[in-house]
Amino acid sequence: MESGVEELMPRLLPVDDCDLAEDFDPTVPPRTPQEYLKRVQIEAARCPDVVVAQIDPKKLRKKQTVNISISGCQPAPEGYSPTLKWQQQQVANFSAVRQSLNKHRNHWRSQHLDSNVTMPKSEDEEGWKKFCLGERVYSEIDALSDDENLGIDYIKVGFPPLLSIVSRMNQATVTSVLEYLISWFGEKKFTPELGRWLYALLACLEKPLLPEAHSLIRQLARRCSEVRVLEENKNEEQISALNLIICLVSRYFDQRDLADEPS
């Protein structure tokens, strides 16, 4: 066995037998080059052939693995499949929005936020869900307390994706917030508040896509197709919003296998 190891792992620092002092102690700092090399050789011989790392599963982040599904979207309900012309127009409009956002990003970033706007930290998942969706949607409250004299309470109804807000978000934050909202959408219904933010975040997403973003938007499109099929009342406005997101993911971000085929 040792000869096999020697062939696969030749010694880079071969140490021949040398005359060392009788009082040579490998546990104390070496005094000569010969003692140093001998000490290295002794320590190497004590190393086990196989080392197993002790990993604490609690310290592993659940977001490390990126799973990319190759499954496509479910077809639109009969009579609700968007035409190719409509999809092409949405892509053109979306492209114009992205160009305008990039052109004026520095201007909007320099604008002062209202005193009631406090953007959560990038890693604050619950904070971002409440910020974007509002307490009413996030906590699934049917009605708000009526007090028209107080005006709009954005804490309750959620902050809209204002340019002065999204322009301050770097790509890491954009991807994180997109992940938070898609995770929420995976178990909840589609709402106008969610739709506005998803559109804005997609507009801020830079190309070429990172693997994590690629996986996220595909997950989003598939979820939209699932909700679209399950839409009981066939609300045309909501189905149109879902069609729009699927269209942008598939045709603007080049995930063509997810695209709706015109009827």
Side-chain angles (χ1 to χ4, degrees):
M1 181 66 183
E2 290 184 359
S3 61
V5 174
E6 289 292 342
E7 293 176 2
L8 293 174
M9 301 177 62
R11 294 178 181 177
L12 297 180
L13 295 173
V15 180
D16 296 328
D17 293 335
C18 56
D19 294 331
L20 297 175
E22 293 183 359
D23 61 347
F24 170 67
D25 184 355
T27 63
V28 300
R31 295 168 295 180
T32 66
Q34 290 79 11
E35 289 185 0
Y36 170 76
L37 293 176
K38 188 65 177 178
R39 180 177 177 180
V40 170
Q41 187 182 45
I42 293 173
E43 291 178 351
R46 293 173 179 172
C47 292
D49 294 333
V50 178
V51 178
V52 179
Q54 299 298 321
I55 301 176
D56 183 359
K58 296 180 181 179
K59 295 183 179 180
L60 293 177
R61 295 184 59 189
K62 63 179 180 179
K63 302 171 185 174
Q64 287 182 333
T65 303
V66 176
N67 296 317
I68 301 178
S69 173
I70 60 175
S71 61
C73 289
Q74 298 187 34
E78 185 176 355
Y80 291 90
S81 180
T83 65
L84 180 59
K85 182 179 180 180
W86 182 87
Q87 294 183 65
Q88 292 172 338
Q89 184 61 54
Q90 302 312 311
V91 169
N93 294 343
F94 183 68
S95 179
V97 169
R98 285 171 60 90
Q99 291 178 16
S100 178
L101 176 60
N102 290 331
K103 182 178 180 180
H104 302 290
R105 185 183 301 276
N106 290 334
H107 165 74
W108 288 109
R109 185 183 296 158
S110 66
Q111 300 303 302
H112 293 292
L113 295 175
D114 291 341
S115 58
N116 64 331
V117 181
T118 302
M119 296 174 62
K121 294 182 179 180
S122 180
E123 65 276 10
D124 184 2
E125 179 172 353
E126 301 306 311
W128 273 109
K129 289 177 182 177
K130 294 178 181 178
F131 183 87
C132 299
L133 304 175
E135 289 286 354
R136 179 177 64 84
V137 172
Y138 177 77
S139 302
E140 298 182 295
I141 301 173
D142 292 333
L144 296 173
S145 58
D146 295 329
D147 194 342
E148 297 180 358
N149 296 327
L150 295 180
I152 298 176
D153 185 346
Y154 287 110
I155 301 299
K156 293 182 178 180
V157 301
F159 289 91
L162 302 174
L163 290 174
S164 56
I165 293 177
V166 298
S167 295
R168 284 174 162 79
M169 300 168 65
N170 58 29
Q171 282 300 289
T173 301
V174 169
T175 304
S176 294
V177 177
L178 189 60
E179 180 179 6
Y180 302 153
L181 296 182
I182 293 174
S183 174
W184 185 89
F185 183 35
E187 300 178 354
K188 307 292 183 179
K189 62 183 180 180
F190 185 84
T191 67
E193 295 85 356
L194 176 65
R196 286 192 290 267
W197 268 99
L198 291 175
Y199 187 94
L201 292 171
L202 290 176
C204 294
L205 203 58
E206 293 180 358
K207 296 175 71 175
L209 296 176
L210 295 174
E212 183 178 1
H214 177 270
S215 175
L216 284 172
I217 65 171
R218 289 182 63 84
Q219 180 183 342
L220 172 60
R222 289 194 298 271
R223 177 57 180 164
C224 286
S225 72
E226 294 172 0
V227 174
R228 182 176 62 180
V229 170
L230 297 174
E231 176 64 30
E232 296 179 356
N233 299 324
K234 295 297 181 286
N235 182 307
E236 290 191 15
E237 184 176 344
Q238 178 155 310
I239 290 182
S240 180
L242 296 169
N243 285 347
L244 174 58
I245 294 175
I246 296 172
C247 169
L248 298 180
V249 169
S250 60
R251 298 194 180 274
Y252 184 86
F253 290 102
D254 302 317
Q255 308 301 308
R256 297 306 174 95
D257 61 305
L258 303 178
D260 281 318
E261 295 299 331
S263 55

